[in-house]
Amino acid sequence: MNNGTTRARRGRRRGLAALGSAIALALLGGGAAAVPALAAEPASDVAGQTFVIGTDTTFAPFEMTDTSGELVGIDMDLIRAVADDQGFTVDIKPQGFDAAVQALQVDQVDAVIAGMSITDERKKTFDFSSAYFQSGVQMAVSEDSDVQSLEDLQGQKVAVKTGTEGASYAQSIANEYGFELLTLTETTDTYEAVKSGQAEALVDDYPVLGYSIQQGNELRTIGDRQEGAPYGIAVNKGQNAELLSAINTGLGNIAENGTYDEILERYLGDNAPKASDIVAPSTFATDAPQTGEHFVIGTDSTYAPFEFTGEDGEVVGIDMDLLRGIAANQGFTVEIKRLGFDAAVQALQAGQVDAVIAGMTITDEREKVFDFTEPYFDTGVQLGVLEDSDIASYDDLEGQTVAVKTGTQGQTFAESVKDEYGFDVLVSTDTTDMVDAVKAGQAVGYFEDYPVLAYGIAQGSGFKLVGDKEVGGQYGAAVNKGENAEFIELFNAGLANAKASGFYDEVVNTYLGTGEDEAAEASPNIFTVISTYWPQLLDGLKWTVLATLVAVVAAFILGIAFGFARISRLAPLRWIATAYVYVFRGTPILIQAFFIYFALPAMTGIKFDSFTAGALTLSLNAGAYMTEIVRSGIQAVDPGQAEASRSLGLGYWTTMRKVVLPQAFKIMIPSFVNQGIITLKDTSLLSVISLAELTFVSKQIIASTYLSAQVLTVVAIIYFTLITLLTLLANRLERKFNA
Amino acid sequence: MSDTTSTGPWTGRLNTLNGQPKVQVSELHKSFGDNHVLRGIDLTINEGEVVAVIGPSGSGKSTLLRCLNKLEEVTSGTVSVDGEDLTDKKVDLDRVRQRIGMVFQHFNLFPHMTVLENITLAPIQLGKLKPAEAKARAIELLERVGLAEKAEAKPASLSGGQKQRVAIARALAMDPEIMLFDEATSALDPEMVGEVLQVIRGLATSGMTMVLVTHEMGFAREVSDRVVFMADGVIVEQGAPTELFGNPTQERTRDFLSKVL
Ligand SMILES: Nc1ncnc2c1ncn2[C@@H]1O[C@H](COP(=O)(O)OP(=O)(O)OP(=O)(O)O)[C@@H](O)[C@H]1O
Ligand SMILES: [Mg+2]
């Protein structure tokens, strides 16, 4: 899964636990309507009522407990101010993010405000208020760092928390600025990484950064804020519309009377955004003062739903509506020329048009010649089948025929998976043939660009979507390289407003209707998970095995050395060995890993990469247990054995080597095997210091796919198999030894 | 060796003189924590002499025996072998022990080795014999104790009596000048005692210097040149077997003998 997809599919992630509910949301699905913008309904609808509001327990600066034990934070202050303004009362229940979301689904709470990103996924289950906060990620470095801009990060490391928007952002610019990513599983670890010098910079949500700087964390933000998903207040879909509209009105009012700004400044100080910037765009101003800028835009003749002729003869479509909206929002004018795709591109190169917007996929090839705006649409190929078809997933295509249009992405995709799912491909030369083939029963379905399919469905084509949208390209508007930078800037700014305000969703929904939402998430089984992610899993497995091997061998050596020291006649040796055992048995391995990875470099300046640190941690930890195994194994041998040997004149070491140890090892073997298995399982803990072992990889896959049940099952089976093999091998060895 | 001890110049001569002191214990004290087990032992064992040590349980017989090859750290006093003081830190105990064989009550054979390996381990490891020589010597010893056919057996497959005979062969493999036996037969079923005593008897008649801690009074009387009676960590009485068994001078000796005979 690439990061773009990850980002597109979800907002702020709240650890593994969030996945369960996210999957639940995805399954509940259904419904369409975009979030209404600021509605101007009277407050009286809900005045006097009490609403139960679920929230997170701690997500500073949005919700947290102050010294007097009261829940405060941007969310809390905002919802109270809105309630005041609208004359209703709130009963706030801090339940934790996942619990709050679940409580909302079962109607235990009326609404949730919890720094919750408005995502397409969630919009299937919830209605959101207008965005009340525009989050976004930003980079930060130590206050005393030499790094002043992103350019200074060349050759440095940037700490990110896995699966977050920050991680996607950092990934997306890592090559450009020449830094490396240090992927960690907890936010706190990223801060630790910067403090300890493991990383030069970190990426986090800017409000979190702003707040922590406000709280005296010695950091400094660098680079620009990357706008992320907006936060909204959620209610169950189709329910509580009055509450939602009261909230929207209230938000507008407190933005106007200054309360909103007061709240933001209270928590974010200098980093506080302007309330007007957050609330105002949600109305998607289309009356911006004219800048006098005028652009000639080339487009396709017909490419529904992006550009085609509307009922009144005017060119409409997603591209057109978006472009016009953005022009109005940013105060420029456009003249649209329907040239056909190829002609439009040539016209652009010839300088006959200023820009092209035509469902144009951003490719490396094209980027050599053109500058693109931010992507405004994620496209992709999907399977369409007749509404009453039994086909529910690719697996049902076994033995069937699927239609494609020649030379399309749909054909490429179909060919690539036809063997896997056992279907035949029927190649048509044009779209109508393809659709007709399906309607006539010559094929059970067809692969087509998903917006086209979805648009058709919204138009009543009688089809439905099956399976996932297969990753395709992103559309952007293009200008000639190095020219018309103003257009790019204006378009991007307008696009951001359009997205933040819900205008973008309105446009897309106008054409794609319920199509996108109903893109049924057919749950892939574990075999598809295995086949898709096998290379990644294998890579993780490699690190798991490697770390285990290194640790087991090292622990064995450590165990023997310290085991002998434990029973040495020299007191200092005994003390050292005992201290070693007590320290490493007496502290959790997680703390040891953190210590070696973060604290040690901070204290001594010695830095390890995550594999070295991880293997070292495991070795030292397992070594402590091995020490005790060796010691007790030696001591379990009848002392008469050593006496008999010594009485013959054999020395201490000869006695150990020839008489005591062979017997001791026999006693130790089961404990060795046991420790080996524990060590293997302990490798999974090293994901916290970003060692890309099996568990880490599985978390990554889950983060981008939500397939927690499937992925975890596969991973559990891999571990189980590995450990079973290890046990069988050990049993064999043991038998050999005992023979 | 001779340069490590003040009595060095005497060593060679003492060795060659039959009937001269081979082991000399003087003012030996041994405590285990508060438990004062040996309370001043003076004992001389001459070359070629067979000394039997008898006494009630807990009187310190085993402890005394184990002090003779320093398996036990002594608290005070000296133990000299061929004039070499074993309590001297500079003495190479491993060298001394090569000359002192020991046989344990519970055999202490090495269970992970064959009978042959048990016997050849020390001579080979200590470079005393080449492997082939050590093997030949082991077979010879096994023949002497009547177990030649058990060379390749593991100790676990042997009877108690056989185990103890192997243990004796193992001790003899280093050609010791002194043999220490700590109740070599008391862990054996009665019908196996005879075969082991037979081997020890053979050794005694061959002129080996031996110290036997034993409960077999008849055997002690038969094979020993001298019997030492211990009680409460001291030597109460010692003398020729006929005297000590026939005419004990001490009340405690009489008392003990009346119970065991
Ligand atoms: N390793 C040891 N640690 C502590 N005490 C010991 C140890 N070995 C022997 N003792 C004690 O020393 C005393 C003498 O024991 P020893 O084994 O020498 O007696 P013994 O005369 O051989 O008795 P037995 O006829 O029962 O074998 C006993 O009180 C015993 O508990
Ligand atoms: Mg004893």
Side-chain angles (χ1 to χ4, degrees):
Chain A
M1 272 299 132
N2 68 37
N3 285 301
T5 312
T6 308
R7 187 169 30 177
R9 287 179 65 163
R10 112 197 111 85
R12 186 157 63 86
R13 197 182 136 227
R14 306 281 197 122
L16 269 178
L19 294 177
S21 54
I23 286 171
L25 300 196
L27 294 175
L28 284 169
V35 184
L38 276 182
E41 270 169 78
S44 56
D45 276 4
V46 295
Q49 295 188 34
T50 297
F51 294 100
V52 185
I53 311 286
T55 187
D56 203 347
T57 41
T58 301
F59 178 48
F62 295 95
E63 33 269 342
M64 54 200 167
T65 312
D66 71 7
T67 44
S68 64
E70 211 193 330
L71 262 180
V72 295
I74 295 174
D75 284 351
M76 298 301 99
D77 293 4
L78 272 183
I79 192 72
R80 288 191 187 111
V82 166
D84 262 3
D85 184 75
Q86 293 293 304
F88 61 87
T89 45
V90 289
D91 173 10
I92 296 174
K93 296 222 183 306
Q95 297 162 310
F97 185 80
D98 297 328
V101 170
Q102 278 156 16
L104 178 57
Q105 287 181 280
V106 297
D107 287 327
Q108 280 170 356
V109 301
D110 298 306
V112 166
I113 179 167
M116 185 172 179
S117 300
I118 303 172
T119 65
D120 291 345
E121 210 70 65
R122 288 179 181 147
K123 279 200 269 180
K124 291 175 189 167
T125 321
F126 305 120
D127 285 336
F128 282 93
S129 70
S130 51
Y132 68 84
F133 192 89
Q134 178 73 45
S135 188
V137 297
Q138 197 166 11
M139 287 216 190
V141 293
S142 245
E143 215 166 44
D144 53 9
S145 165
D146 295 335
V147 173
Q148 299 297 340
S149 68
L150 298 184
E151 280 76 14
D152 297 337
L153 288 176
Q154 177 80 37
Q156 302 283 11
K157 279 195 177 164
V158 174
V160 299
K161 178 180 167 189
T162 179
T164 58
E165 288 172 36
S168 311
Y169 164 62
Q171 175 86 58
S172 72
I173 60 166
N175 277 341
E176 181 182 345
Y177 292 103
F179 59 77
E180 258 184 78
L181 288 199
L182 176 67
T183 309
L184 300 163
T185 54
E186 295 302 329
T187 305
T188 46
D189 298 345
T190 62
Y191 284 78
E192 278 307 313
V194 169
K195 266 192 208 146
S196 64
Q198 287 280 1
E200 186 63 31
L202 63 88
V203 186
D204 200 356
D205 291 351
Y206 94 83
V208 179
L209 271 174
Y211 180 66
S212 85
I213 291 169
Q214 166 101 332
Q215 294 294 303
N217 213 332
E218 291 169 347
L219 293 171
R220 170 161 54 78
T221 55
I222 55 161
D224 289 334
R225 245 173 237 171
Q226 293 303 309
E227 301 231 313
Y231 291 168
I233 301 165
V235 300
N236 272 337
K237 199 160 191 74
Q239 299 167 24
N240 268 325
E242 314 80 39
L243 174 60
L244 216 48
S245 86
I247 287 172
N248 284 339
T249 314
L251 283 171
N253 291 346
I254 62 169
E256 238 159 66
N257 68 26
T259 313
Y260 210 134
D261 278 324
E262 270 171 37
I263 292 170
L264 293 176
E265 273 159 33
R266 194 174 304 155
Y267 295 100
L268 300 178
D270 296 342
N271 284 301
K274 284 264 152 283
S276 54
D277 287 345
I278 301 170
V279 176
S282 58
T283 57
F284 198 66
T286 50
D287 53 357
Q290 287 299 315
T291 57
E293 294 277 8
H294 179 79
F295 300 102
V296 181
I297 312 285
T299 188
D300 205 343
S301 40
T302 298
Y303 179 45
F306 293 94
E307 36 268 337
F308 60 99
T309 309
E311 284 162 22
D312 52 1
E314 217 200 346
V315 57
V316 294
I318 294 174
D319 283 353
M320 298 302 107
D321 292 13
L322 211 48
L323 178 64
R324 291 195 187 103
I326 288 170
N329 179 260
Q330 296 293 314
F332 61 85
T333 51
V334 292
E335 178 191 340
I336 291 167
K337 293 194 167 180
R338 297 176 72 180
L339 304 168
F341 185 82
D342 291 347
V345 172
Q346 281 156 21
L348 177 58
Q349 287 179 291
Q352 289 157 350
V353 297
D354 299 314
V356 165
I357 181 163
M360 186 173 178
T361 306
I362 303 172
T363 63
D364 291 345
E365 211 59 36
R366 286 177 180 151
E367 274 184 313
K368 288 178 191 155
V369 193
F370 305 119
D371 286 334
F372 280 92
T373 61
E374 289 290 314
Y376 63 85
F377 195 87
D378 288 352
T379 185
V381 169
Q382 203 162 2
L383 177 65
V385 299
L386 287 172
E387 237 162 27
D388 55 2
S389 166
D390 292 336
I391 307 285
S393 74
Y394 291 171
D395 296 325
D396 297 332
L397 294 176
E398 176 87 52
Q400 307 283 6
T401 303
V402 177
V404 297
K405 182 177 159 186
T406 181
T408 59
Q409 279 198 324
Q411 183 186 13
T412 315
F413 176 73
E415 301 284 1
S416 75
V417 297
K418 67 173 186 186
D419 289 340
E420 184 185 343
Y421 294 103
F423 60 78
D424 287 325
V425 175
L426 174 70
V427 182
S428 314
T429 49
D430 82 32
T431 307
T432 42
D433 288 354
M434 177 168 74
V435 174
D436 287 343
V438 178
K439 287 194 170 153
Q442 288 157 350
V444 292
Y446 67 107
F447 280 105
E448 170 67 287
D449 286 357
Y450 110 88
V452 177
L453 263 175
Y455 176 67
I457 291 168
Q459 299 303 112
S461 65
F463 283 84
K464 66 178 179 187
L465 298 170
V466 168
D468 272 338
K469 187 163 89 182
E470 302 302 336
V471 183
Q474 292 181 311
Y475 291 163
V479 298
N480 276 336
K481 207 163 184 69
E483 295 171 17
N484 278 314
E486 321 82 63
F487 176 77
I488 302 272
E489 246 167 60
L490 291 168
F491 187 94
N492 286 345
L495 180 63
N497 286 346
K499 282 190 170 165
S501 63
F503 174 78
Y504 176 87
D505 288 329
E506 267 173 37
V507 169
V508 170
N509 279 317
T510 304
Y511 295 100
L512 301 186
T514 59
E516 187 186 18
D517 291 343
E518 277 180 0
E521 296 261 338
S523 211
N525 62 29
I526 60 170
F527 299 106
T528 42
V529 167
I530 292 175
S531 64
T532 314
Y533 296 105
W534 189 241
Q536 277 160 273
L537 291 170
L538 216 57
D539 211 47
L541 184 62
K542 182 188 82 186
W543 288 109
T544 294
V545 170
L546 214 59
T548 307
L549 277 181
V550 170
V552 165
V553 171
F556 186 76
I557 295 166
L558 285 172
I560 293 198
F562 282 105
F564 276 115
R566 280 278 272 157
I567 53 172
S568 165
R569 277 162 300 186
L570 300 175
L573 275 183
R574 278 200 312 268
W575 295 333
I576 291 169
T578 308
Y580 165 65
V581 168
Y582 275 60
V583 165
F584 281 90
R585 264 197 338 192
T587 53
I589 191 166
L590 269 182
I591 301 294
Q592 293 162 16
F594 282 136
F595 191 89
I596 290 173
Y597 193 58
F598 294 124
L600 215 55
M603 287 170 6
T604 63
I606 307 166
K607 274 191 217 172
F608 302 110
D609 59 35
S610 45
F611 178 76
T612 312
L616 193 62
T617 306
L618 277 186
S619 303
L620 288 170
N621 184 273
Y625 288 94
M626 288 285 201
T627 298
E628 284 308 272
I629 292 170
V630 169
R631 179 193 58 76
S632 63
I634 290 173
Q635 289 181 340
V637 175
D638 172 16
Q641 290 288 311
E643 282 179 0
S645 174
R646 297 309 299 277
S647 79
L648 289 165
L650 292 166
Y652 178 82
W653 291 110
T654 312
T655 300
M656 271 295 164
R657 200 160 46 84
K658 289 285 172 182
V659 176
V660 178
L661 286 185
Q663 299 181 58
F665 276 133
K666 208 155 142 178
I667 300 169
M668 294 174 206
I669 284 177
S671 307
F672 279 154
V673 174
N674 214 23
Q675 185 56 46
I677 289 170
I678 290 171
T679 300
L680 193 148
K681 290 196 273 195
D682 279 351
T683 55
S684 66
L685 298 172
L686 300 179
S687 59
V688 300
I689 54 167
S690 78
L691 176 61
E693 45 67 56
L694 194 53
T695 301
F696 184 86
V697 167
S698 70
K699 283 186 193 169
Q700 298 265 19
I701 296 174
I702 292 170
S704 63
T705 63
Y706 290 99
L707 301 175
S708 52
Q710 293 88 332
V711 173
L712 291 176
T713 306
V714 170
V715 167
I717 290 172
I718 296 177
Y719 276 118
F720 180 80
T721 311
L722 205 59
I723 286 166
T724 305
L725 287 177
L726 203 86
T727 310
L728 290 178
L729 191 85
N731 286 347
R732 235 189 151 139
L733 253 142
E734 196 175 347
R735 242 177 288 136
K736 216 168 172 182
F737 207 92
N738 284 346
Chain B
M1 225 185 310
S2 54
D3 53 358
T4 62
T5 157
S6 55
T7 54
W10 293 89
T11 315
R13 195 153 57 89
L14 285 171
N15 263 342
T16 58
L17 291 175
N18 202 13
Q20 288 300 311
K22 187 78 179 165
V23 179
Q24 252 179 325
V25 177
S26 68
E27 263 310 297
L28 176 62
H29 287 264
K30 171 66 186 175
S31 302
F32 293 105
D34 290 342
N35 188 2
H36 197 168
V37 177
L38 298 182
R39 301 161 176 255
I41 303 279
D42 289 290
L43 179 67
T44 304
I45 295 155
N46 292 320
E47 184 152 8
E49 199 179 10
V50 176
V51 175
V53 181
I54 61 170
S57 182
S59 57
K61 305 182 296 291
S62 297
T63 306
L64 171 61
L65 200 69
R66 291 157 58 80
C67 284
L68 298 185
N69 65 353
K70 282 257 340 268
L71 276 186
E72 217 61 84
E73 214 46 63
V74 310
T75 306
S76 71
T78 58
V79 176
S80 304
V81 174
D82 288 337
E84 248 188 311
D85 182 2
L86 304 194
T87 58
D88 185 342
K89 294 270 179 255
K90 280 176 282 185
V91 170
D92 182 354
L93 280 176
D94 291 335
R95 299 278 316 255
V96 178
R97 284 181 184 140
Q98 292 180 30
R99 308 205 307 269
I100 309 174
M102 189 166 200
V103 175
F104 301 84
Q105 182 175 356
H106 295 287
F107 333 126
N108 298 1
L109 292 180
F110 308 135
H112 57 297
M113 298 179 187
T114 62
V115 164
L116 199 69
E117 287 164 345
N118 263 276
I119 299 171
T120 56
L121 176 71
I124 295 176
Q125 286 297 319
L126 293 167
K128 190 175 160 67
L129 296 175
K130 293 196 182 72
E133 297 167 356
K135 189 176 171 190
R137 171 84 176 124
I139 301 281
E140 193 185 307
L141 285 168
L142 281 173
E143 273 161 6
R144 194 157 137 201
V145 300
L147 287 172
E149 78 284 2
K150 294 290 185 188
E152 296 304 326
K154 281 281 179 76
S157 67
L158 303 180
S159 73
Q162 292 171 327
K163 281 180 187 162
Q164 196 59 297
R165 284 186 279 157
V166 172
I168 293 170
R170 177 176 70 179
L172 291 175
M174 286 303 292
D175 282 328
E177 294 157 23
I178 305 165
M179 284 286 283
L180 309 175
F181 292 86
D182 191 357
E183 298 187 22
T185 59
S186 49
L188 299 178
D189 290 342
E191 70 269 24
M192 295 173 181
V193 171
E195 62 194 55
V196 174
L197 290 184
Q198 186 56 42
V199 171
I200 299 174
R201 188 179 289 119
L203 268 179
T205 50
S206 77
M208 171 80 74
T209 310
M210 304 206 301
V211 183
L212 308 161
V213 171
T214 183
H215 284 145
E216 304 277 341
M217 295 304 151
F219 184 67
R221 171 184 259 165
E222 175 203 341
V223 299
S224 69
D225 301 318
R226 179 156 49 118
V227 179
V228 173
F229 172 65
M230 276 183 76
D232 295 330
V234 294
I235 294 175
V236 175
E237 184 173 357
Q238 53 177 307
T242 41
E243 276 169 43
L244 195 122
F245 286 113
N247 191 15
T249 58
Q250 298 295 316
E251 178 58 36
R252 285 165 74 187
T253 317
R254 281 196 291 273
D255 191 41
F256 172 72
L257 290 175
S258 71
K259 281 176 192 148
V260 296
L261 286 178

